């Protein structure tokens, strides 16, 4: 992720969950909120209900990669959380990419 910093702080995650805009798809859910900085910050979350650690880690790697390949399409100055769901593991890469771009467009964080 060339222009993006990873979002790791629990307080930042909680703030986004409470005050951020959200959009959901059967494959992923996206929370976003402006951060007042020049760059984006992205966090990835997957519930332990999804399965064992190696399944969750694979889902997180795939979601990070989908964002990384499309990060120039996003406005700068936004905090984003990508949440993996049960269908994320079985979804193809193109499905994940389509879902992320569709939800981001709905939230207004994509460039025209």
């Amino acid at each position: 992720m060339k222009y993006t910093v990873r979002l790791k702080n629990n307080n930042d995650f909680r703030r986004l969950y409470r005050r951020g805009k959200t959009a959901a798809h059967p494959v992923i859910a996206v929370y976003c909120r402006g951060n007042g900085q020049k760059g984006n910050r992205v966090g990835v979350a997957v519930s332990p209900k999804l399965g064992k650690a190696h399944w969750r880690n694979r889902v997180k790697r795939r979601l990070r990669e989908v964002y990384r390949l499309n990060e120039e399409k996003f406005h700068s100055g936004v905090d984003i959380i990508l949440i993996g769901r049960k269908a994320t593991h079985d979804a193809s890469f193109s499905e994940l990419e389509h879902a992320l771009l569709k939800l981001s467009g709905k939230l207004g964080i994509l460039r025209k």
Side-chain angles (χ1 to χ4, degrees):
M1 291 186 275
K2 188 175 180 182
Y3 307 106
T4 305
V5 177
R6 298 246 323 252
L7 190 65
K8 296 180 185 178
N9 192 348
N10 189 30
N11 288 335
D12 294 330
F13 273 84
R14 288 178 32 216
R15 185 178 309 117
L16 266 170
Y17 288 142
R18 271 184 305 200
R19 299 184 189 152
K21 293 191 293 183
T22 183
H25 188 272
V27 177
I28 62 172
V30 178
Y31 285 81
C32 70
R33 182 172 191 244
N35 63 15
Q37 300 175 0
K38 290 187 178 182
N40 290 346
R41 299 188 304 173
V42 174
V44 179
V46 179
S47 171
K49 290 189 243 179
L50 194 63
K52 299 209 181 264
H54 63 279
W55 293 100
R56 295 193 310 270
N57 290 335
R58 181 168 190 252
V59 167
K60 288 190 273 188
R61 281 194 310 269
R62 292 177 77 203
L63 290 175
R64 268 190 233 109
E65 184 66 9
V66 167
Y67 175 80
R68 186 188 71 82
L69 292 174
N70 294 289
E71 73 179 324
E72 71 279 350
K73 297 177 183 176
F74 289 84
H75 287 294
S76 59
V78 180
D79 286 346
I80 302 168
I81 296 178
L82 307 175
I83 300 177
R85 295 180 157 193
K86 288 186 179 188
T88 307
H89 185 268
D90 297 325
S92 68
F93 195 81
S94 61
E95 285 179 83
L96 291 175
E97 187 172 35
H98 175 72
L100 176 62
L101 294 176
K102 181 179 177 183
L103 295 176
S104 300
K106 189 183 291 187
L107 292 170
I109 57 176
L110 280 183
R111 294 182 181 169
K112 299 287 180 187

